Amino acid sequence: MAKLMVVAFLTMLINIFPATATPWENLDAKQLEQQLSEKFTKGEYSPKGADSCLMCHKKNTQVMDIFQGVHGDLNNSRSPMAGMQCEACHGPLGLHNRGGKEPMISFSPDSKLSPQSQNSVCQGCHNDPKQMAWHNSTHNLEEVACVDCHQIHAAKDPALDRLTVNETCTACHSSAKADMNKRSSHPLKWDQMTCIDCHNPHGSMTESALIKPSLNETCAECHAEKRGPFLWEHAPVVEDCSSCHTPHGSVNDSLLKARVPQLCQQCHADDGHASRLTNQAGQDAFSAGKSCLNCHSKIHGSNHPAGSNFAR
């Protein structure tokens, strides 16, 4: 009976005087951000810098790999390690080293911090014109964090290495990866070309985050001979390369969306001989070999005085 009375009394005290200090591991995202904001306001940074952090974290190989990359370069004045060191990204130490009483900013898929909060730390330094369209980018709107693609504690960031950047992108963009392995494709699967040759992962003013203001201008970066201007221009070519081509890969020759002549007949349905629907290649003169392209070989445009039909 006496034990029951003691338990009841303690329960009453807890209800009247609830605990004010919650272990930060158990805080929800909103509470965690509030506590971190308060820490930044106080600005209680460690006088020993990284030495304070490494007293506990030096046995972690991943943590120590920061010194293998640019972020840990002490000789680079733009490196975080040459300035406020670990606290430049993870926030002021405060009482964190005293039994983990206060949280630090964590960058990982398991972090309770929102991607926007994590990314704001990166954007404190990385705010050059390449990131100017980040806020309107698909990656930002889909709540992708910088660390979902980039590795900071590493000698080489796979998202910045031309031999591994495609693997980084296709980890999410699986449909593009499938297209890359079709029989007609850009040389992406051999890493002779990268996703960032055409796309800006941090966003741009175009719908598909292209590096140029339009798809045609992006394509013309490599395919300059198709750019023109021509004396005789083919309307679909001028409007949009993707009218005929699929950029990541196709089962048809030259990355075409459909094989010739079916592709041509999507527009030229009632124009003389072009209206003859050909189902099987090689049936007649209009489908043998390259089909329509047997005669209309200058399909992207012609400068010949008699090239109105793109045959010269």
Side-chain angles (χ1 to χ4, degrees):
M1 184 67 179
K3 289 183 178 180
L4 290 174
M5 291 179 64
V6 171
V7 171
F9 178 71
L10 291 174
T11 302
M12 181 183 68
L13 288 178
I14 292 173
N15 291 330
I16 296 175
F17 304 104
T20 56
T22 306
W24 64 270
E25 294 90 345
N26 299 325
L27 298 177
D28 60 30
K30 186 175 181 180
Q31 292 171 326
L32 180 61
E33 289 196 27
Q34 181 180 354
Q35 194 166 129
L36 287 170
S37 178
E38 293 173 356
K39 282 189 66 179
F40 270 97
T41 302
K42 294 179 181 177
E44 296 177 351
Y45 290 88
S46 169
K48 297 182 180 180
D51 290 341
S52 297
C53 306
L54 296 180
M55 287 179 64
C56 297
H57 296 287
K58 64 182 178 182
K59 293 182 180 180
N60 189 318
T61 305
Q62 184 179 0
V63 170
M64 298 305 293
D65 281 346
I66 186 71
F67 296 104
Q68 304 297 320
V70 293
H71 287 84
D73 187 358
L74 293 169
N75 297 318
N76 186 344
S77 60
R78 299 173 62 187
S79 165
M81 198 56 66
M84 299 182 71
Q85 302 185 338
C86 306
E87 293 169 287
C89 298
H90 294 282
L93 183 66
L95 300 176
H96 176 73
N97 63 335
R98 299 183 181 181
K101 291 183 179 179
E102 290 184 351
M104 302 293 286
I105 298 175
S106 173
F107 303 91
S108 73
D110 299 327
S111 176
K112 291 183 180 180
L113 282 178
S114 66
Q116 288 82 2
S117 297
Q118 295 182 51
N119 294 346
S120 66
V121 178
C122 305
Q123 291 170 328
C125 294
H126 299 280
N127 54 4
D128 56 81
K130 291 182 179 180
Q131 287 86 34
M132 64 180 297
W134 169 255
H135 293 289
N136 292 326
S137 70
T138 302
H139 283 148
N140 180 50
L141 296 176
E142 293 292 336
E143 297 187 341
V144 176
C146 301
V147 294
D148 290 338
C149 301
H150 295 282
Q151 291 184 18
I152 310 306
H153 287 251
K156 284 187 177 181
D157 184 354
L160 299 179
D161 190 333
R162 290 189 63 85
L163 295 178
T164 55
V165 63
N166 289 347
E167 184 179 348
T168 301
C169 297
T170 55
C172 294
H173 300 281
S174 55
S175 61
K177 183 176 183 178
D179 287 342
M180 286 163 49
N181 287 280
K182 292 178 179 177
R183 70 181 188 90
S184 176
S185 67
H186 283 111
L188 290 157
K189 58 186 174 185
W190 297 291
D191 296 317
Q192 295 175 4
M193 180 178 174
T194 70
C195 303
I196 58 176
D197 289 337
C198 298
H199 300 280
N200 183 349
H202 301 109
S204 73
M205 299 304 170
T206 62
E207 184 177 353
S208 300
L210 297 172
I211 60 173
K212 293 294 181 180
S214 70
L215 175 62
N216 283 19
E217 288 184 60
T218 302
C219 297
E221 284 287 286
C222 295
H223 303 284
E225 76 282 2
K226 306 292 193 300
R227 175 168 45 195
F230 296 104
L231 177 62
W232 303 102
E233 293 182 332
H234 193 187
V237 177
V238 177
E239 291 173 3
D240 195 331
C241 298
S242 64
S243 297
C244 299
H245 300 280
T246 176
H248 294 114
S250 171
V251 295
N252 302 299
D253 291 338
S254 303
L255 287 85
L256 293 175
K257 298 175 76 172
R259 66 172 186 162
V260 181
Q262 281 80 9
L263 176 66
C264 305
Q265 289 169 339
Q266 291 177 8
C267 296
H268 302 280
D270 57 355
D271 184 18
H273 65 264
S275 64
R276 293 185 54 178
L277 183 62
T278 305
N279 295 318
Q280 295 181 3
Q283 259 188 352
D284 52 30
F286 302 118
S287 63
K290 292 187 177 181
S291 188
C292 304
L293 304 181
N294 288 330
C295 299
H296 306 285
S297 57
K298 300 294 183 181
I299 202 64
H300 290 98
S302 173
N303 283 320
H304 195 281
S308 59
N309 292 322
F310 309 113
R312 301 182 182 183

